[in-house]
Amino acid sequence: MRQRSLIAITAALAAGALTLTACGSRDSGDKSSSGSGGTTVTIGVDAPLTGDLSALGLGIKNSADLAVKTANKDKTVSGVTFKLVAKDDQAQASSGQQNASAFVADKSVLGVVGPLNSSVAQSMQKVFDAAKLVEVSPANTSPDLTQGTNWQTKKVRPYKSYFRTATTDAIQGPFAAEYIYNTAKKKKVFVIDDKKTYGAGLAATFTQEFKKLGGTVVGTQHINPDTKDFSSVATQVKNSGAEAVYYGGEYPQAGPLSKQIKAAGANIPLAGGDGIFDPTFIKLAGAKSTGDLATSVGAPVESLPSAKKFVADYKAAGYSEEYGAYGGYSYDSTWAIIQAVKSVVDANNGKLPSDARAKVTAAMQNVSFDGVTGKVSFDEFGDATNKQLTVYAVKNGAWAAVKSGTFTG
């Protein structure tokens, strides 16, 4: 592996800053967006709208809805009215696959935003690709999805219909490792993951870079994400002499894990990826979570001039949930689909062609615009060209950005 360097810009930002960041279905039509006249094009959304991860999923759905409403209001694509249909995958791969099949069966669907979880995406990709239906995730970070299972030695794109606006764990894990080793000065780390695609992959890329830097992994463990009793693992952490814990997984487990590690007598920070970057983590982890760390994709929303209109419009729309970690990326994923549709319509004398799905998927490769999260475009693998990340720390009961930058190789 080539030597990588961290280009970091330290930022002192207000506590509680949110990021434009990381993972059976029921239709959610209560906020479906549509305008009037012309051809109706449906954009699907797949995310966990119920369950432990719904705080992130609802932010994805609402932000996509806002993009659809904006396109209809501004008549972004002449003669086309966009409609949003959201389906709940409950963070389950089987549900995601069912949802993918349902979207494919609806001929008005020309693009799908989502999902949150990389493991869910794995179950959907083949279904969408067979139908030439484009999928743009605002949150998936597993490198396998775009670069193949052997991405570390030979990158091969598995599905040309899959794109994402979030950067990958091939960058996020090492970014965290450099911060923890060089800035936080933690040389001994205990690594834990939830055995899922996202968590295990993130833990692996963190571990590789941390060891490369000279750090020591004093212990490793896997947890069952269906339980909340981590007392045995917490005791192992305490006895290991670790100076920090790195957790690959999501906040429903990370919060209780952090709390129980402290309760076991190991007063050390727990660090993780974008899957733990949510206010719910702090609620679950409790008062002793101060100093816990999370990396997340992108930069804090308040620091981006490009996001000011999004933040104001989201507030004005009156959604009852926060846009959350992936709101800006969800808006940009939706807008990318809208721009691809526009490109296809413009190239076909103002009308959708009979093979619109295939044309929209092909057009996505060349989509490029200034979005909420910055420049939005895709490389040859369908990955985002914007690879910025931010480290957050729990301070005064809220997440606060402590360093932003990018990891280059």
Side-chain angles (χ1 to χ4, degrees), residues 377-398:
S377 59
F378 306 99
D379 65 16
E380 68 269 31
F381 299 102
D383 282 327
T385 55
N386 181 352
K387 303 185 186 303
Q388 183 154 9
L389 291 146
T390 299
V391 178
Y392 295 84
V394 178
K395 296 182 179 181
N396 301 316

Side-chain angles (χ1 to χ4, degrees), residues 45 48 57 81 94 111 121 133-134 163 176 229 244 263 289 317 338 351 367 373 383:
V45 172
T81 294
S94 58
L133 179 57
V134 74
F163 297 81
D229 181 4
S289 63
I338 291 167
K351 297 180 180 180
V367 162
T373 60
D383 282 327

Side-chain angles (χ1 to χ4, degrees), residues 187-192 206-208 210-211 214-220:
K187 311 302 181 185
K188 295 188 292 182
V189 172
F190 197 108
V191 179
I192 304 169
F206 169 87
T207 298
Q208 183 179 29
F210 191 73
K211 287 181 176 179
T216 301
V217 175
V218 296
T220 60

Side-chain angles (χ1 to χ4, degrees), residues 97-112:
Q97 190 173 56
Q98 291 171 15
N99 292 348
S101 296
F103 283 131
V104 167
D106 181 349
K107 299 305 180 185
S108 73
V109 177
L110 293 188
V112 177

Side-chain angles (χ1 to χ4, degrees), residues 301-352:
V301 64
E302 288 81 2
S303 72
L304 294 175
S306 59
K308 288 182 179 178
K309 186 177 186 301
F310 165 75
V311 173
D313 289 350
Y314 193 96
K315 183 177 180 180
Y319 298 109
S320 56
E321 303 88 12
E322 297 290 338
Y323 49 80
Y326 305 105
Y329 288 93
S330 181
Y331 188 101
D332 284 347
S333 294
T334 311
W335 203 255
I337 293 172
I338 291 167
Q339 289 300 307
V341 171
K342 177 176 170 56
S343 174
V344 170
V345 169
D346 288 350
N348 194 52
N349 299 317
K351 297 180 180 180
L352 284 172

Side-chain angles (χ1 to χ4, degrees), residues 67 70-78 80 82 335 338-339 342 346:
T70 301
N72 288 335
K73 178 184 176 182
D74 296 347
K75 294 181 172 53
T76 301
V77 184
S78 180
V80 171
F82 291 96
W335 203 255
I338 291 167
Q339 289 300 307
K342 177 176 170 56
D346 288 350

Side-chain angles (χ1 to χ4, degrees), residues 12 18 27 31 58 87 135 139 147 220 247 283 379 394:
L18 292 174
D27 290 337
K31 288 184 182 176
L58 290 168
K87 293 183 181 293
E135 170 188 17
Q147 300 172 20
T220 60
Y247 176 67
K283 295 177 184 176
D379 65 16
V394 178

